[in-house]
Amino acid sequence: MPKDTGIGASTKRREDVRFLTGRGVYTDDLSLFGQAHAVMVRSTVAHGRIVSIDTSAVESMPGVLAVFTGEDFKDVGGNPAGWLINSRDGTPMREPKRPVLAHGKVRHVGDAYAAVIAESYAQAKDAAQVLSDATEIEELPAIVDMKAAAADASNRVHDEIPDNICFDWGWIEDNRAAVDAAMKAAPHVVTLELTNNRLVPNAMEPRASIGEYFPGTGDYKLTTTSQNPHLTRLLICAFVMGIPENKLQVVAPDVGGGFGSKIYHYGEEALVLAAAKRLGRPVRWTAERTESFLSDAHGRDHVTKIELGCTKEGDILAIRTETYANVGAYLSNFSTATPTFLHGTLMAGPYKVPHVYVNVKTVFTNTAPVDAYRGAGRPEATYSIERVVDKMCRELGLDPFEVRRRNLLTPDQFPYTTPVGLVYDTGNYQATLDKAVDLADVAGFEARRAESAKRGKLRGMGLSTWIEACGIAPSHLVGVLGARVGLYDAATVRVNATGTISVMTGAHSHGQGHETVFPQIVAEKLGIPASSVEIVHGDTAKIPFGMGSYGSRSLAVAGSAMDRAIDKIIAKGKKIAAHMLEAAEGDITFADGKFSVAGTDKAKTFGEIAFSAYVPHNYPLETLEPGLEETAFYDPANFTYPAGAYICEVEVDEGTGKVDVVAFTCADDFGNVMNPMIVEGQVHGGVGQGIGQAVLESTSYDENGQLLTGSYMDYAMPRADDVPFYTVDHSCSTPCTHNPLGVKGCGEAGAIGSPPAVVNAVIDALQRGGHSHVTHIDMPVSPNRVWQAMNA
Amino acid sequence: MHNFEFVKPSSIADAVAALAAEGAQPLSGGQTLLPTMKQRLAAPEVLVSLTGIPEMQGVCTGDGGLHIGGATPHAVVAREAASHYPALAALAGGIGDPAVRNRGTIGGSVANNDPAACYPAAVLASGVTVVTSTRKIAADDYFQGMFTTALEEGEFITSVIFRIPQAAAYVKFNQPASRFALTAVFVAKFADGVRVAVTGASNNGVFRWEEAEDALTADFSAGAIAGLTASAEDMISDLHGSAAYRANLVKVLTGRAVTAAR
Ligand SMILES: Cc1cc2nc3c(=O)[nH]c(=O)nc-3n(C[C@H](O)[C@H](O)[C@H](O)COP(=O)(O)OP(=O)(O)OC[C@H]3O[C@@H](n4cnc5c(N)ncnc54)[C@H](O)[C@@H]3O)c2cc1C
């Protein structure tokens, strides 16, 4: 019988009631008395020198209240990169200033260099157009292609960075010679050059911010679309504006999806605060969809050469990669971590590979900044590995399932130290592979292929065995890796006098379902109904200092903090109970919502204890403070390592090149599962995004740096009929060994593991269909590309 | 969006008068025009809605075939043309999404003549008569290249009269993002010959593939065009498909339309 409450129950998402009935309250839904409207003036050229901005052209236009340009922010700080990376030769990365508004130069189409504030949105929009026309920008040649950018010293995105390279990173540099030697000695070497296509995040809710300033107290308030309000506050206060942290409240109300793009602090947030102060009025800004395309941080965009050395039997001996990673025009907050520590450290995959070396050159271009996007670095690593392993199987005529089994780590090898710096704590990769093979009915594939052939379709099957490091966290580890912040999280559990509970969590929910899952855990541990538990998140004035949600970390890190805080509540409850029941504290047990004296029928309910804590008439006041509220900060000992096996089946239409994903099976190990329905939903969403990347989504800039795919007319998002009904399973679970809940995180898995499974299936279909010359097609495997490949 | 005046006449004569005003433009379903205005790429001073004119609504049989009012939404055509002209109804039912189909109209689509739009293929393949506020125009004279038609300033489409073929089919290959036609082919078999109209493919907008028409008039089977190749010259080449790819689609989809025709 599945549970209907508490941990492990598929409780329906309570937040969906408001989301699905249009009662969510998003930033743009707020309307404040006296509010003014900001419209950003954005560059229409990819690269240029700002010659003049004639603000007098708009200052007397109807409704215009203020105009800001880069000049207004030249004395405040820049928006920093959160991770400091050193190049192979030990030199620190180059970190150009990222100003609130572009100053001196514009560096990508959509780079905001001015803002107009007016009484109405329409007036601000009119004035922004006039200001754009009244701006002279001397256009410079656009730097779009990464390899050309790195090779050309004369044309620079940032004048002070000669070769447009941010850093040239080696991981692990000391192992390089050994890896080269192993590669040289390998009986067979497989080489693959591939592109991990740039993606536009496309959260359903565009970015929006409202700034307020209260002159009476000197306090600021920012309401914004953020995945991590405390981090945004820290960046604005400590790096950009110099506002004391205690004087800025950051609120992220309902947020309609982020996928990474709302982790980062953006210039518009600083702009609305500065404007609110200057005008003494609330100032609001909401991105139009075009602005989202042009100015949200994009994802992926790697060009990689991967080599794999192996025996003729398919034992992997060495992996070596060289990657060019696009960071765009400026360093967004996680942009330097994504291609390095979230990518290079995963390059051994789930395999026992003795020698691995990763080189990443991070390049500035005149394109939108690129940063972490669902999976962040790990999809890029997984795609490279799983594609090259697949190619190895084809070159050597080996069965891809057998080759995986040969190389996967076995359960007895954990904890396992990889050659790229991680320690995998636990796993059972054979189990998930066997499960996937079973659920996908691999044995029945030939029959399905024959049936597809009858309908004129080429059918193929692709496999991916993947691993990721998530729950990003350990502060000591990320500190060694260059992070400028810690990555713990925090929770306050406040038991109210009447026994209900408010949990203030540092995690932020923007679609994940925390408001449902966190109460399930509280309910299970305290033996009270989940409906008595409320989750408070997204407001720096209410919650403890937490680091927000990304990297599949909410449950593993913030959930663990909550778990610890609940333990403290129980411990204090026992003290109160001991007093009330006139027993020794050591004799008190807590179960099913009752504090009991062991071996007797004397007991107090959780509610009675809570009441007594707030109405302490019969209470040990000499030794115990009243009240029942506990805070815990939790900093894990390690990343968590979800892993799994994905099997994809596609049909290819030979006449048109169209790829249909017809079956997709996931066998995942997420450790303990708190709410199976939500976990499955996360996998569905992730795989949907992975299929989107593999089959549909392409971000294309022309040679002048104009975004050709700047709207849904040209940027193809996956829709319901682009994806099959998924088969998902998470029964092969090996609980995480180092967090109290034993959870690993499931938010990104689908997007990490799925793209190579899709592309491997397409190559399989073409090979079986007689197109044996096709060994690789870059994503997205669009009809045009597949047809070109077949007919090349 | 810039400010504009809005009028909603209830007769063709009143619409003609309203459209004589400086800067006036017809508005039908608004599915093309309104997004353009929101992006400030168009700024008409007066919008003359054509959706309040009873003669411009609905589907009925009459002289020369099936009459469809110029302001009839796609969803109504999908429903009401189904028993008369199934291929046309299926085409209408495959445009955009329900919101687009319930607002967007045949007149707006045919007037706009987007090179990737669906209706122009049906119109050209069916040998339609386009009826306007001032005259009747044969389909072969109506389309004059991408976004260009025989319509004059102030002239608007009041109805479209389709000849009903013996058998027909529309096969659309979706552009993956917009789901307009990356290339689509309408094949219609009449007693006096087969017409094959192609949309989405050419730099010159919708066109007839005459070689295929001849071959199919002689032998209405997919095999009849096996030896032909559509020329890639003048085909659109963009992010979603090269000219050669589109030329291939023209042939593949024509074959499939012939097989599907009923
Ligand atoms: C999301 C989306 C998906 C779509 N998918 C498709 C698709 O798959 N296939 C497809 O074919 N189309 C598609 N369309 C376009 C849709 O069919 C539009 O309805 C059509 O192009 C225009 O019709 P309308 O009635 O909305 O015209 P409007 O937008 O009102 O007008 C379009 C133009 O025609 C003029 N006009 C309007 N009516 C007349 C008239 N009677 N006489 C003269 N001029 C007139 C207007 O002045 C304007 O210039 C899609 C649109 C959207 C928004």
Side-chain angles (χ1 to χ4, degrees):
Chain A
M1 264 289 282
K3 291 181 72 172
D4 60 1
T5 171
I7 289 176
S10 284
T11 306
K12 292 225 172 81
R13 298 185 359 144
R14 58 165 79 163
E15 47 269 73
D16 284 347
V17 176
R18 72 173 189 277
F19 295 153
L20 297 177
T21 55
R23 292 176 188 140
V25 179
Y26 298 85
T27 299
D28 190 64
D29 292 327
L30 301 169
S31 185
L32 302 179
F33 181 73
Q35 66 189 2
H37 299 258
V39 168
M40 311 303 290
V41 188
R42 297 184 185 276
S43 179
T44 56
V45 301
H47 192 194
R49 216 167 285 288
I50 301 172
V51 178
S52 62
I53 305 173
D54 181 6
T55 55
S56 70
V58 300
E59 271 153 2
S60 58
M61 282 181 71
V64 171
L65 299 167
V67 181
F68 287 82
T69 68
E71 196 63 23
D72 294 291
F73 295 96
K74 71 173 193 304
D75 297 326
V76 303
N79 185 5
W83 295 59
L84 301 175
I85 307 291
N86 287 342
S87 282
R88 294 195 284 131
D89 61 8
T91 55
M93 70 181 200
R94 284 103 154 228
E95 185 184 6
K97 181 175 175 183
R98 185 182 186 193
V100 175
L101 290 172
H103 190 232
K105 269 174 93 172
V106 286
R107 295 186 174 85
H108 66 92
V109 172
D111 198 3
Y113 59 86
V116 180
I117 324 293
E119 293 286 352
S120 76
Y121 172 71
Q123 288 168 333
K125 186 93 179 148
D126 284 341
Q129 184 59 54
V130 171
L131 191 59
S132 175
D133 296 341
T135 301
E136 192 189 329
I137 293 179
E138 177 204 339
E139 196 171 349
L140 300 169
I143 300 158
V144 179
D145 179 74
M146 274 192 283
K147 289 191 180 173
D152 182 0
S154 62
N155 197 7
R156 300 173 182 185
V157 178
H158 296 276
D159 295 352
E160 67 278 19
I161 300 176
D163 49 9
N164 297 307
I165 297 233
C166 176
F167 55 76
D168 176 356
W169 180 77
W171 191 250
I172 294 175
E173 196 56 25
D174 289 347
N175 296 345
R176 183 180 194 153
V179 175
D180 288 349
M183 195 66 75
K184 212 166 188 175
H188 186 81
V189 175
V190 189
T191 305
L192 182 59
E193 295 192 31
L194 49 83
T195 296
N196 205 289
N197 42 328
R198 180 188 276 243
L199 304 174
V200 179
N202 283 303
M204 211 186 284
E205 178 205 23
R207 287 191 293 118
S209 303
I210 303 174
E212 291 171 82
Y213 179 70
F214 305 94
T217 56
D219 289 342
Y220 292 84
K221 180 176 177 184
L222 175 68
T223 306
T224 192
T225 49
S226 175
Q227 298 179 216
N228 39 209
H230 270 110
L231 196 61
T232 296
R233 188 180 74 171
L234 181 66
L235 290 165
I236 293 174
C237 292
F239 291 87
V240 182
M241 306 264 294
I243 301 171
E245 257 184 296
N246 57 320
K247 287 295 188 188
L248 173 60
Q249 176 190 4
V250 177
V251 180
D254 283 333
V255 173
F259 311 111
S261 68
K262 293 173 184 165
I263 299 172
Y264 327 116
H265 163 54
Y266 293 86
E268 291 88 352
E269 293 170 326
L271 183 275
V272 294
L273 289 171
K277 182 170 188 192
R278 188 190 288 179
L279 295 176
R281 298 170 58 169
V283 175
R284 63 185 301 134
W285 168 81
T286 300
E288 296 185 356
R289 185 55 68 179
T290 306
E291 292 184 278
S292 305
F293 271 99
L294 294 176
S295 71
D296 286 2
H298 293 176
R300 319 278 193 258
D301 208 349
H302 285 193
V303 174
T304 293
K305 177 180 176 190
I306 181 165
E307 293 159 290
L308 178 149
C310 57
T311 65
K312 300 275 186 208
E313 294 73 40
D315 299 302
I316 306 171
L317 303 173
I319 290 175
R320 183 169 63 197
T321 66
E322 183 189 24
T323 289
Y324 284 81
N326 203 338
V327 282
Y330 301 100
L331 295 180
S332 175
N333 302 140
F334 276 24
S335 61
T336 52
T338 304
T340 54
F341 293 111
L342 296 173
H343 167 247
T345 54
L346 267 300
M347 206 55 82
Y351 306 118
K352 32 179 188 275
V353 192
H355 296 286
V356 181
Y357 174 77
V358 176
N359 173 238
V360 178
K361 297 171 183 70
T362 309
V363 187
F364 290 104
T365 58
N366 293 121
T367 62
V370 180
D371 206 328
Y373 169 74
R374 198 172 194 169
R378 290 148 291 167
E380 294 90 318
T382 304
Y383 184 68
S384 297
I385 300 166
E386 290 305 291
R387 281 291 300 125
V388 81
V389 167
D390 192 71
K391 190 159 184 253
M392 166 179 77
C393 298
R394 296 199 180 281
E395 287 182 8
L396 297 175
L398 301 171
D399 175 66
F401 294 91
E402 279 321 307
V403 163
R404 260 57 168 220
R405 288 200 178 90
R406 237 184 138 86
N407 288 284
L408 286 174
L409 291 163
T410 50
D412 55 299
Q413 288 171 306
F414 296 101
Y416 174 80
T417 304
T418 73
V420 269
L422 295 179
V423 182
Y424 299 165
D425 61 339
T426 179
N428 186 345
Y429 308 150
Q430 284 74 19
T432 45
L433 177 56
D434 290 345
K435 190 74 179 180
V437 166
D438 184 36
L439 291 173
D441 183 24
V442 170
F445 174 74
E446 266 313 318
R448 292 191 294 278
R449 195 173 82 84
E451 189 277 327
S452 298
K454 270 195 211 139
R455 287 182 286 108
K457 298 283 174 72
L458 306 180
R459 196 179 186 107
M461 180 163 58
L463 168 67
S464 145
T465 44
W466 61 273
I467 184 167
E468 61 155 322
C470 73
I472 60 170
S475 294
H476 73 90
L477 200 58
V478 298
V480 173
L481 301 179
R484 278 172 162 165
V485 291
L487 283 173
Y488 47 81
D489 221 293
T492 297
V493 175
R494 176 182 299 155
V495 182
N496 301 311
T498 51
T500 61
I501 290 181
S502 305
V503 176
M504 278 61 77
T505 171
H508 185 269
S509 190
H510 35 281
Q512 291 86 344
H514 299 173
E515 291 170 34
T516 301
V517 178
F518 285 29
Q520 285 181 255
I521 298 168
V522 180
E524 174 91 21
K525 291 203 59 157
L526 295 180
I528 57 169
S531 58
S532 305
V533 184
E534 204 60 33
I535 300 301
V536 179
H537 63 96
D539 184 341
T540 58
K542 295 180 181 165
I543 62 172
F545 197 108
M547 297 308 288
S549 291
Y550 41 81
S552 308
R553 69 193 298 279
S554 301
L555 197 54
V557 189
S560 294
M562 183 180 74
D563 187 87
R564 290 271 170 94
I566 297 168
D567 286 345
K568 292 187 190 179
I569 295 282
I570 294 171
K572 185 169 181 182
K574 283 183 178 171
K575 288 196 169 76
I576 301 170
H579 176 87
M580 292 174 74
L581 296 166
E582 296 173 341
E585 193 189 325
D587 291 338
I588 305 290
T589 58
F590 180 67
D592 302 327
K594 267 195 204 137
F595 293 90
S596 320
V597 181
T600 74
D601 59 359
K602 291 206 295 182
K604 289 280 174 194
T605 64
F606 183 76
E608 287 172 307
I609 296 298
F611 186 76
S612 163
Y614 289 95
V615 186
H617 297 162
N618 174 17
Y619 194 89
L621 284 166
E622 323 71 56
T623 52
L624 201 63
E625 293 169 7
L628 198 50
E629 169 168 330
E630 297 289 350
T631 294
F633 280 71
Y634 178 78
D635 200 322
N638 193 351
F639 293 104
T640 63
Y641 299 97
Y646 287 0
I647 297 175
C648 174
E649 285 185 33
V650 299
E651 282 184 345
V652 178
D653 181 333
E654 251 184 321
T656 64
K658 182 163 195 300
V659 171
D660 283 319
V661 177
V662 292
F664 205 101
T665 304
C666 305
D668 292 305
D669 175 1
F670 295 134
N672 292 336
V673 166
M674 302 290 116
N675 180 321
M677 178 197 73
I678 288 182
V679 166
E680 285 168 26
Q682 288 288 317
V683 175
H684 286 197
V687 174
Q689 271 172 302
I691 291 174
Q693 167 164 33
V695 182
L696 293 159
E697 296 182 49
S698 168
T699 309
S700 191
Y701 284 94
D702 72 9
E703 70 278 8
N704 298 318
Q706 295 293 336
L707 183 61
L708 299 176
T709 50
S711 82
Y712 296 122
M713 290 301 281
D714 287 302
Y715 189 92
M717 292 292 286
R719 304 184 207 193
D721 61 356
D722 289 314
V723 299
F725 283 95
Y726 306 117
T727 305
V728 300
D729 175 273
H730 43 76
S731 64
C732 305
S733 132
T734 59
C736 170
T737 58
H738 56 79
N739 66 43
L741 297 169
V743 296
K744 293 184 175 176
C746 63
E748 297 163 294
I752 292 170
S754 58
V758 176
V759 177
N760 289 346
V762 170
I763 301 300
D764 186 58
L766 298 185
Q767 294 261 336
R768 290 176 194 264
H771 302 279
S772 55
H773 65 285
V774 184
T775 57
H776 179 68
I777 304 175
D778 271 329
M779 301 187 288
V781 288
S782 65
N784 182 46
R785 280 196 182 157
V786 172
W787 184 83
Q788 304 284 357
M790 284 190 292
N791 293 284
Chain B
M1 198 183 279
H2 294 281
N3 289 339
F4 55 87
E5 299 290 321
F6 179 78
V7 291
K8 192 167 182 182
S10 52
S11 72
I12 291 175
D14 287 352
V16 170
L19 282 164
E22 181 74 20
Q25 190 174 346
L27 173 71
S28 198
Q31 297 302 293
T32 296
L33 186 52
L34 296 183
T36 322
M37 289 170 63
K38 284 185 182 169
Q39 288 182 296
R40 300 188 158 204
L41 298 171
E45 285 160 46
V46 185
L47 283 185
V48 180
S49 170
L50 302 179
T51 57
I53 303 170
E55 306 100 280
M56 287 181 61
Q57 294 287 345
V59 177
C60 64
T61 48
D63 274 0
L66 194 67
H67 293 232
I68 301 182
T72 310
H74 310 327
V76 172
V77 176
R79 214 165 41 234
E80 295 184 6
S83 57
H84 307 289
Y85 194 167
L88 180 67
L91 173 148
I95 293 175
D97 50 48
V100 170
R101 292 195 288 276
N102 281 300
R103 301 291 310 180
T105 66
I106 187 168
S109 177
V110 174
N112 196 47
N113 192 18
D114 186 304
C118 300
Y119 267 124
V123 168
L124 194 58
S126 308
V128 160
T129 306
V130 178
V131 184
T132 76
S133 45
T134 56
R135 57 183 166 144
K136 291 184 172 176
I137 311 171
D140 285 320
D141 302 328
Y142 176 82
F143 297 105
Q144 304 192 344
M146 276 197 191
F147 298 109
T148 318
T149 68
L151 291 177
E152 311 251 339
E153 191 69 34
E155 183 179 12
F156 59 94
I157 298 171
T158 54
S159 69
V160 181
I161 306 172
F162 287 84
R163 292 166 65 206
I164 297 181
Q166 296 167 336
Y170 177 65
V171 176
K172 174 183 179 186
F173 190 78
N174 286 346
Q175 194 258 54
S178 71
R179 297 199 174 180
F180 275 67
L182 179 62
T183 290
V185 178
F186 201 108
V187 170
K189 178 173 183 285
F190 292 93
D192 58 357
V194 175
R195 290 170 73 109
V196 177
V198 179
T199 187
S202 168
N203 282 319
N204 302 319
V206 65
F207 71 96
R208 284 170 62 186
W209 187 19
E210 283 162 13
E211 258 185 300
E213 291 183 349
D214 293 343
L216 291 168
T217 300
D219 169 16
F220 194 69
S221 75
I225 59 161
L228 305 183
T229 21
S231 162
E233 211 175 304
D234 262 346
M235 293 275 172
I236 299 169
S237 192
D238 63 13
L239 286 177
H240 305 287
S242 66
Y245 177 63
R246 281 188 165 83
N248 164 70
L249 284 182
V250 170
K251 180 172 171 181
V252 169
L253 303 180
T254 301
R256 290 180 185 180
V258 171
T259 306
R262 64 201 74 240

